[in-house]
Amino acid sequence: MTTWSPTAFARGLASLRAFVSTEPELSASARADFPEAWDDQRFSWMSAALMAWTLHGKEDAEGRTAADRQLLQQGQSLSRAERGILSALAASWCSVFEVEEVRLGQGLRLRDLLLDEVLEVKERSLTTQVARYDLIGSWVMPTEDHLELVGGIVLIPRSVREHVIVAMRQKLAAQQPPASDLPGRRRQARRLAPFLFRRVLELFTTEQPLLNADGEPLRSCTARFRIRHPAKVEERLRQHDGFTREGKGSYEWQGPHPLAPTNNPAVWGFVTVEGKSLVLNTQSAQRLEKGKALLAELLGAEAEHEEDTLGPEQSIRGAPTPSLPDDMPLELADQLALMLAQRARDELSRGIPAWSGKSAREMVRSTEGRAQVLEWLKDQESQVSHLSDAADTLWDNLYAELGLSRDERIPLTQVYTSKEVPSLEPIRAELTTTELPELPELSEDLSLEPVPRRRAFQDAARRKPRRKAAAPELEPGALYAFKLGPIDVGVDGRTSVYVALTSDGEVLPPVFGRRDAEGLESLARGSAGLKRYCESRLARAGVAHGFNSRPMPDSVARARAALALQLYWGPEKPDALGTPEVADALLDAMAALIRAEPWEEWTNEEVFTVHLEGAVKGTRELSVMGGGGSEFGFALFDRAGSVERMSMSGLPAGNVDVLIPDSLGVTLEDEPGWVAKVVKDVTGLPFVPDVMRVQRNTPRQGNTEELVVAAAVGRALALARPEEREVNVVLKVGGLQVRVQLEVPLPLLTGRYVGTLDLLRLASQRPTATRAPTRTLPTKKVSETLLEFARPILDGVEESEDPEAELFTCLALALSVWNAVVQDTWEPEKGWVERARATLRRMPRDVRESMLHDFELLVERKRRHFADDPRLLDALDVVQRPGDLGVRLVGVVTPGAWDEFVGVSRE
């Protein structure tokens, strides 16, 4: 094991920096090895890399680094930990590493692309920032029993990997380090650190021209025309194969893509017709001339050219890196990852210009080609790795089709075979007609309605949980002190609460105060004879009163969370939480509920029926909150019909209060922050639960029994799956036991498929026919089919206050009806139509009557007019286009119909 802590390591580095400050000439020499200046905001890693080079990279005339020299001169007076730190730094080296495996919160498996070593590195923070096949330039430090990263870390885009690694390997080869002398080879690699970081900075700051697929410089070009009869002009544009109507007066001009399949043309420009003006926009001067000639031939006397505008030629600094919004919905990230993986799979048999027109299937037959194909696949997968792991199975299959493995290591001599260092080439950028999932954009329209605030726990729930090493429990005769707050106490400002918990579970009287020293002093007076520990943020103030800092045991963390809730709720009775087990059960259940996100599946009008037995008995009605983004949680009503009465009551008039049915409400927030933080330390999610009981229109804090009911129902709701009819949960806390049977309604308005099939996988792995099918598949696009199917219920959509939302709701209902009929027809588990009907019957009357009417109409319409269409529908999206709305969705032939429509029996 290592002999130093992170604090000791920081002190060791500070001591080494102080030592280096006594050698100004050597420090100046180290600085001269790096560029004269750089932008610290864009390239903050350069300063860290320079510091590492100065402290443990740059060698003096005798071949010693600053770490070597301090160890030599001051080693006798240093502690064991300080000597170990200096020895580790002195043995460090710098290189370019490829990430082969990420173990979240633990470490990385790296491949040194200069020395061809495979390294197991202990690292925590970086495991949440890098993904498979990322390239990083960094320093590695060998400690007593493992490797660690140290110094500056720069992420190198794979698009410029050869520009860096070929140059580095040539520099290393010129030094001819002996293969058997590993420490010597590492020292040689370390000496290349300035070259590495200078090279990366050069690649990041060099201007590169942007070209389209035809090699023409990208520049914004516009041609304006005066037109005589707009209606005739639009009619001719619509009839021409090269123009696709995108909306009212808006057309996309398409042309062949020299590097893409024939079914994936390039977008050469856009035509806009507004009034008596026509505007052609393109991204190159050559295409502008082609477009003008095409329009002159197509429109003749209907259009008169007025003027052209040519913008400057475009360029970009460094390699472009694809980026997506941090808050991109997981569904879109999954779809994009699957689409990119499928695109790579489609290219396996297509000739690639860089390989002299050979395909990946042809290239992989030779040793050299195998190496190139494997690196090409890594480049493709690295674009997807930060988005989602939804395509992992597809990648495995893709590698297997070529006889490759994702874990295969090709010798570096086969990968980086270039005899000359590649120079930066112009970057080719081409917009194609491939439809990508639309990313959410902020609307410029102002609204009187408040925008729902996204909660911190929503984002935290969608990230991979970080694993923390368990801290040892307190030994007998010890106590642990911690702080709650700061808490806003109104006119008196902010204060904190200092609490100590003994190893026997006893809580010492809490102390209120504004200063840590005062709070710990008071706790110390009441804990004579006990060994004292505290959390790290109290370490400085606690030393004077006998407190030593150490990681917080799990039992203490859970007790702290229970006390924080008790303090925040301010209950009338001090035993409102009952035992600590009650808080544990409630927090664990609510954390599971947040991760399950039931508000993404069900609206507050799709009613769950809840049967309770045990400590609490009876049948309840449950409504999920969160679909609108204003409140998250659920309401458990005492009597059936309460959801309908709430929806029918409307808003109160004057000073009349709203009559709230008797209920148990659970809401989830992420404030106050001091409570959310301690809850996060226990559950991994920053949230604050509130449990309120309403009786006779009077709210009060939930008691122990009601908290247990809330926890049990929360667990059941977290386990609810749309494709399953019910969930059963038994929760026992102390002497209380609650049994929950949850009847699950069918979500009808999400626009997504509900069932047990993996449609995205089926879409990418369509079975191969073994015989001729007996029935013909429909050829019409699924989007057109759904619009035609839903036509009877779309009247009035354009006149509604929010046409986009109204269209989505209508189409979502139509999609659910369509899928239910398809599943009842071809899938073995029947009853989907009846289950959807039962869900509608439990909805509030104001929406139930109209939706039931539309539902029955659509069921009959599917069976009568669309009975021969066996496709299941998924991923409905309504997109806003200039002057129009567009519809996107996915259609997959249900496996139960493969025998008839595909010609293969379902296994």
Side-chain angles (χ1 to χ4, degrees):
M1 297 295 291
T2 56
T3 57
W4 61 79
S5 65
T7 302
F9 184 73
R11 290 173 180 169
L13 278 183
S15 173
L16 181 55
R17 284 197 296 268
F19 175 81
V20 168
S21 66
T22 65
E23 303 177 331
E25 292 184 0
L26 290 172
S27 296
S29 176
R31 178 64 183 85
D33 293 332
F34 274 61
E36 293 184 4
W38 58 83
D39 185 344
D40 282 330
Q41 294 296 320
R42 291 183 61 202
F43 311 114
S44 57
W45 43 267
M46 280 293 286
S47 297
L50 173 58
M51 180 59 68
W53 174 246
T54 304
L55 298 181
H56 50 90
K58 178 73 173 181
E59 298 174 0
D60 60 14
E62 297 178 353
R64 296 191 181 99
T65 67
D68 288 316
R69 295 193 296 275
Q70 186 186 18
L71 187 61
L72 181 65
Q73 296 177 26
Q74 302 177 1
Q76 297 299 323
S77 61
L78 299 177
S79 67
R80 180 187 174 190
E82 290 173 317
R83 292 195 300 273
I85 291 168
L86 290 174
S87 296
L89 291 173
S92 66
W93 77 100
C94 184
S95 188
V96 179
F97 304 95
E98 182 178 69
V99 178
E100 289 194 341
E101 184 181 353
V102 179
R103 293 182 293 277
L104 192 67
Q106 298 178 22
L108 307 166
R109 179 185 298 150
L110 305 177
R111 186 183 188 185
D112 190 325
L113 298 183
L114 297 186
L115 305 180
D116 205 4
E117 293 184 77
V118 178
L119 311 173
E120 297 291 340
V121 176
K122 284 192 176 181
E123 171 64 35
R124 290 187 179 181
S125 60
L126 197 61
T127 60
T128 62
Q129 303 170 42
V130 298
R132 191 183 183 98
Y133 302 136
D134 278 350
L135 300 180
I136 59 174
S138 183
W139 298 77
V140 170
M141 174 183 71
T143 67
E144 292 182 356
D145 63 344
H146 62 275
L147 299 171
E148 292 185 7
L149 297 179
V150 67
I153 298 175
V154 56
L155 191 65
I156 301 174
R158 289 190 65 90
S159 56
V160 297
R161 58 185 170 81
E162 289 193 345
H163 302 77
V164 177
I165 299 167
V166 170
M168 292 284 291
R169 288 179 62 83
Q170 289 186 3
K171 288 280 186 181
L172 185 66
Q175 298 176 359
Q176 296 182 340
S180 59
D181 181 12
L182 183 58
R185 285 167 52 81
R186 289 177 173 178
R187 282 194 298 272
Q188 298 283 23
R190 181 175 66 197
R191 292 167 186 158
L192 298 179
F195 178 81
L196 167 62
F197 291 104
R198 290 175 70 105
R199 178 66 173 158
V200 173
L201 182 66
E202 175 189 354
L203 294 172
F204 281 4
T205 55
T206 300
E207 289 280 349
Q208 295 171 254
L210 290 173
L211 308 179
N212 62 23
D214 292 316
E216 303 161 352
L218 288 186
R219 59 194 305 183
S220 179
C221 303
T222 301
R224 292 185 175 276
F225 297 81
R226 185 74 177 170
I227 57 178
R228 298 177 59 188
H229 302 97
K232 289 184 179 180
V233 168
E234 289 208 53
E235 182 180 0
R236 294 184 186 181
L237 290 173
R238 285 195 296 269
Q239 292 176 350
H240 193 280
D241 293 339
F243 295 96
T244 301
R245 186 174 184 269
E246 290 293 300
K248 185 177 181 180
S250 178
Y251 298 84
E252 188 178 84
W253 175 34
Q254 298 174 2
H257 191 318
L259 305 178
T262 55
N263 62 349
N264 189 25
V267 178
W268 278 18
F270 297 91
V271 172
T272 304
V273 177
E274 186 173 353
K276 294 206 171 184
S277 292
L278 181 148
V279 179
L280 167 66
N281 289 292
T282 71
Q283 288 297 312
S284 81
Q286 294 86 340
R287 288 182 182 174
L288 184 72
E289 293 303 318
K290 292 178 182 177
K292 288 163 56 179
L294 175 62
L295 290 173
E297 180 183 354
L298 178 65
L299 302 180
E302 288 294 332
E304 179 183 352
H305 178 256
E306 292 185 328
E307 63 175 353
D308 293 338
T309 304
L310 303 182
E313 293 185 0
Q314 300 176 30
S315 61
I316 189 172
R317 286 191 176 185
T321 309
S323 60
L324 294 168
D326 292 335
D327 58 349
M328 182 182 189
L330 287 184
E331 293 84 355
L332 283 180
D334 289 346
Q335 290 178 34
L336 185 55
L338 285 163
M339 187 204 71
L340 292 174
Q342 183 60 46
R343 179 185 291 177
R345 186 177 185 275
D346 294 340
E347 292 184 352
L348 294 185
S349 302
R350 184 172 62 85
I352 295 179
W355 296 340
S356 302
K358 292 183 178 180
S359 69
R361 297 187 192 277
E362 295 171 316
M363 289 287 292
V364 80
R365 296 169 187 167
S366 68
T367 301
E368 181 181 350
R370 185 182 184 90
Q372 294 184 49
V373 171
L374 189 61
E375 290 302 305
W376 175 75
L377 286 174
K378 288 181 181 179
D379 292 342
Q380 298 289 317
E381 187 176 352
S382 70
Q383 300 179 42
V384 185
S385 56
H386 287 271
L387 294 175
S388 162
D389 58 4
D392 270 3
T393 301
L394 191 55
W395 282 115
D396 285 332
N397 295 339
L398 193 152
Y399 278 77
E401 282 186 41
L402 295 171
L404 298 169
S405 167
R406 293 171 80 188
D407 297 322
E408 185 171 348
R409 296 192 187 100
I410 296 292
L412 296 179
T413 52
Q414 295 180 20
V415 178
Y416 301 103
T417 57
S418 176
K419 296 181 180 179
E420 295 183 1
V421 179
S423 58
L424 285 176
E425 298 291 335
I427 295 175
R428 294 180 182 264
E430 186 71 84
L431 181 63
T432 69
T433 59
T434 300
E435 290 190 356
L436 298 178
E438 293 234 343
L439 304 182
E441 297 180 356
L442 295 177
S443 172
E444 296 180 359
D445 297 333
L446 296 179
S447 174
L448 297 178
E449 295 293 328
V451 178
R453 180 178 66 85
R454 188 168 179 84
R455 308 305 197 270
F457 58 72
Q458 290 179 270
D459 296 324
R462 296 190 174 192
R463 292 192 292 266
K464 292 181 179 179
R466 296 188 179 185
R467 299 171 184 169
K468 296 192 302 183
E473 293 295 327
L474 294 175
E475 66 268 27
L479 62 76
Y480 195 98
F482 54 83
K483 177 170 70 172
L484 294 173
I487 306 168
D488 192 347
V489 290
V491 294
D492 293 330
R494 289 151 66 90
T495 189
S496 297
V497 181
Y498 299 87
V499 185
L501 187 72
T502 70
S503 56
D504 297 329
E506 178 186 358
V507 179
L508 299 187
V511 176
F512 288 82
R514 288 186 173 85
R515 297 180 57 198
D516 294 344
E518 295 173 356
L520 293 177
E521 181 182 9
S522 298
L523 290 178
R525 285 199 296 267
S527 59
L530 295 177
K531 192 168 185 178
R532 302 165 191 163
Y533 298 104
C534 64
E535 57 181 322
S536 58
R537 62 174 174 167
L538 299 178
R540 180 175 297 180
V543 170
H545 305 289
F547 287 91
N548 295 315
S549 172
R550 60 171 282 186
M552 185 179 294
D554 182 67
S555 61
V556 176
R558 290 189 172 274
R560 181 178 64 160
L563 289 169
L565 289 179
Q566 188 91 356
L567 190 63
Y568 165 65
W569 288 344
E572 297 176 1
K573 296 180 180 180
D575 63 343
L577 276 176
T579 67
E581 291 178 279
V582 176
D584 280 354
L586 180 67
L587 292 178
D588 289 345
M590 294 305 111
L593 184 67
I594 291 171
R595 289 193 170 96
E597 298 183 303
W599 38 80
E600 294 294 328
E601 297 286 352
W602 292 278
T603 68
N604 61 352
E605 294 175 336
E606 290 157 335
V607 181
F608 292 74
T609 299
V610 183
H611 303 285
L612 300 176
E613 294 183 2
V616 178
K617 297 180 175 63
T619 298
R620 306 283 193 270
E621 194 175 76
L622 183 142
S623 176
V624 174
M625 298 183 293
S630 57
E631 277 191 317
F632 293 85
F634 61 85
L636 186 66
F637 296 99
D638 288 6
R639 286 176 290 278
S642 295
V643 174
E644 180 172 334
R645 287 193 292 275
M646 285 284 290
S647 68
M648 301 278 294
S649 62
L651 296 175
N655 296 322
V656 179
D657 292 333
V658 176
L659 182 62
I660 303 175
D662 291 353
S663 58
L664 183 68
V666 178
T667 56
L668 302 165
E669 280 294 346
D670 53 8
E671 295 175 348
W674 63 271
V675 182
K677 182 181 183 303
V678 299
V679 171
K680 181 180 179 181
D681 288 342
V682 172
T683 66
L685 299 176
F687 69 93
V688 181
D690 227 334
V691 181
M692 299 296 295
R693 175 66 168 146
V694 177
Q695 284 183 305
R696 298 190 180 94
N697 218 41
T698 302
R700 62 168 173 79
Q701 194 70 53
N703 58 31
T704 300
E705 184 179 86
E706 289 156 351
L707 295 182
V708 175
V709 170
V713 174
R715 281 193 178 188
L717 186 55
L719 294 172
R721 298 293 178 266
E723 63 272 16
E724 297 176 358
R725 296 175 182 270
E726 68 177 35
V727 176
N728 291 277
V729 165
V730 178
L731 176 63
K732 185 174 183 180
V733 181
L736 294 173
Q737 178 172 294
V738 177
R739 290 189 293 275
V740 178
Q741 183 187 57
L742 189 70
E743 294 181 12
V744 181
L746 202 64
L748 301 175
L749 303 176
T750 63
R752 294 195 294 270
Y753 159 78
V754 174
T756 58
L757 300 173
D758 187 344
L759 292 192
L760 291 177
R761 178 173 296 181
L762 290 175
S764 62
Q765 298 178 345
R766 182 175 174 177
T768 303
T770 57
R771 56 177 175 76
T774 58
R775 301 174 69 178
T776 303
L777 279 172
T779 57
K780 183 179 287 188
K781 293 172 61 177
V782 287
S783 56
E784 296 175 359
T785 300
L786 180 62
L787 285 170
E788 173 62 22
F789 172 63
R791 183 168 48 81
I793 68 171
L794 297 181
D795 292 341
V797 167
E798 293 182 357
E799 290 74 30
S800 65
E801 294 182 1
D802 189 344
E804 185 174 351
E806 182 68 17
L807 178 61
F808 182 89
T809 300
C810 293
L811 292 181
L813 177 63
L815 181 147
S816 296
V817 172
W818 178 286
N819 283 347
V821 175
V822 169
Q823 288 167 295
D824 274 359
T825 304
W826 281 287
E827 294 305 314
E829 184 166 342
K830 310 298 182 181
W832 290 97
V833 170
E834 184 52 42
R835 191 174 165 212
R837 186 179 287 120
T839 297
L840 287 169
R841 286 171 177 165
R842 289 200 297 267
M843 281 187 170
R845 184 168 50 188
D846 57 337
V847 296
R848 178 178 66 229
E849 293 177 354
S850 61
M851 280 200 174
L852 266 175
H853 173 271
D854 291 345
F855 176 85
E856 300 297 351
L857 183 154
L858 291 171
V859 168
E860 179 62 22
R861 183 171 172 79
K862 175 70 173 83
R863 291 170 173 167
R864 182 183 295 271
H865 301 291
F866 298 85
D868 292 333
D869 196 328
R871 292 175 291 185
L872 290 171
L873 310 182
D874 194 13
L876 172 67
D877 190 18
V878 175
V879 295
Q880 182 73 51
R881 292 172 177 163
D884 197 4
L885 293 174
V887 176
R888 293 177 181 168
L889 70 155
V890 174
V892 180
V893 177
T894 186
W898 286 355
D899 186 23
E900 300 172 75
F901 290 89
V902 181
V904 60
S905 298
R906 184 181 179 186
E907 296 180 359

